[in-house]
Amino acid sequence: MNRYIINIFTLILALSSAVSSDAAPTVSNYPVPAKHFRSVVDTSEELVKSAFKNARENSPFAAMEEAGAANDDQYGELAGQMKDYAAKFLGTRYRLGATGPTQFDCSGFVGYVFRNFGFNLSRDSRSQYLQGEHVDKSDIKPGDLLFFSSRSSGKGRVGHVAMVVDVNDDGSCRFIHASSSKRGVVYQNFPDNGYYSRHFIGAKRIIGTSI
């Protein structure tokens, strides 16, 4: 790839040098007619423009940018589908150890949603935290998982999991989860300057990873 880029820009520089010369060229000490020289310059300018265009269109970096944009679109589409699917279970009752669809605990709910889209997550939240890729809190996206400690797990140990559904411009977000305290599947804002802010442990990305 590096050799490709070097060859392209070497050609561009050579053609640019030819165009940028103000003096009329000479052949065996005889000046080339100005009309003929202008024709050469015009042709060279077109070649330079063509070379730049080809470099932009055929550069491996251009292909990478297009692939990245396509991946972002696919990610957003899948995350949107997961968000809509999860919303169907709003109000579903909480029950410890339940995996759905009529009752859920937190990891059972997340696992049920992701399994519907071909992702096989571990059964409990602590094991789910070992899957996917770590994401900084400032970089979370819809579809990411947020992990928290709980009263039963103890401070600093994973005991609860939720799925991000919306991210705001200021970095705050809304997640959906099966809540034992609110007795069912509900939305929650994060950070909340309360319980979830104090118990936050980390975020993981499952979509686009090998789990």
Side-chain angles (χ1 to χ4, degrees):
M1 183 168 65
N2 290 337
R3 182 177 299 175
Y4 169 86
I5 296 171
I6 290 171
N7 288 341
I8 287 292
F9 283 97
T10 297
L11 173 61
I12 292 172
L13 288 173
L15 291 171
S16 297
S17 296
V19 173
S20 63
S21 176
D22 293 331
T26 59
V27 178
S28 299
N29 296 321
Y30 291 97
V32 177
K35 182 177 180 180
H36 176 69
F37 176 63
R38 184 66 259 171
S39 175
V40 171
V41 170
D42 290 342
T43 301
S44 297
E45 288 177 345
E46 290 302 317
L47 288 173
V48 170
K49 291 177 182 178
S50 177
F52 273 113
K53 180 180 178 182
N54 289 333
R56 286 193 301 268
E57 294 178 350
N58 298 316
S59 167
F61 292 112
M64 291 168 62
E65 289 176 359
E66 290 177 1
N71 288 338
D72 288 343
D73 290 343
Q74 292 172 357
Y75 184 104
E77 182 178 353
L78 178 56
Q81 292 173 358
M82 296 176 74
K83 166 186 171 179
D84 293 342
Y85 183 73
K88 294 180 179 180
F89 299 98
L90 285 167
T92 302
R93 291 181 59 188
Y94 178 93
R95 181 173 179 270
L96 182 62
T99 58
T102 58
Q103 294 177 317
F104 293 106
D105 66 9
C106 65
S107 56
F109 173 63
V110 167
Y112 189 88
V113 171
F114 273 77
R115 190 161 52 252
N116 185 71
F117 293 89
F119 299 95
N120 294 315
L121 298 183
S122 298
R123 173 61 190 90
D124 62 280
S125 59
R126 193 171 303 172
S127 297
Q128 289 174 355
Y129 186 61
L130 301 177
Q131 297 179 280
E133 297 178 354
H134 172 77
V135 181
D136 289 336
K137 186 163 58 174
S138 59
D139 293 328
I140 58 174
K141 295 180 179 181
D144 289 343
L145 299 182
L146 303 182
F147 292 87
F148 308 87
S149 61
S150 66
R151 296 180 180 89
S152 60
S153 69
K155 185 177 181 180
R157 301 184 67 186
V158 174
H160 189 67
V161 60
M163 186 183 82
V164 177
V165 293
D166 296 302
V167 178
N168 303 314
D169 292 338
D170 62 0
S172 62
C173 71
R174 182 174 66 152
F175 62 75
I176 190 170
H177 66 143
S179 169
S180 59
S181 62
K182 296 186 178 180
R183 301 189 180 283
V185 177
V186 294
Y187 289 126
Q188 172 72 42
N189 293 322
F190 179 79
D192 63 345
N193 298 318
Y195 179 87
Y196 290 103
S197 292
R198 294 194 305 270
H199 290 78
F200 178 72
I201 290 180
K204 301 298 285 287
R205 180 159 299 156
I206 303 299
I207 301 175
T209 75
S210 59
I211 305 182

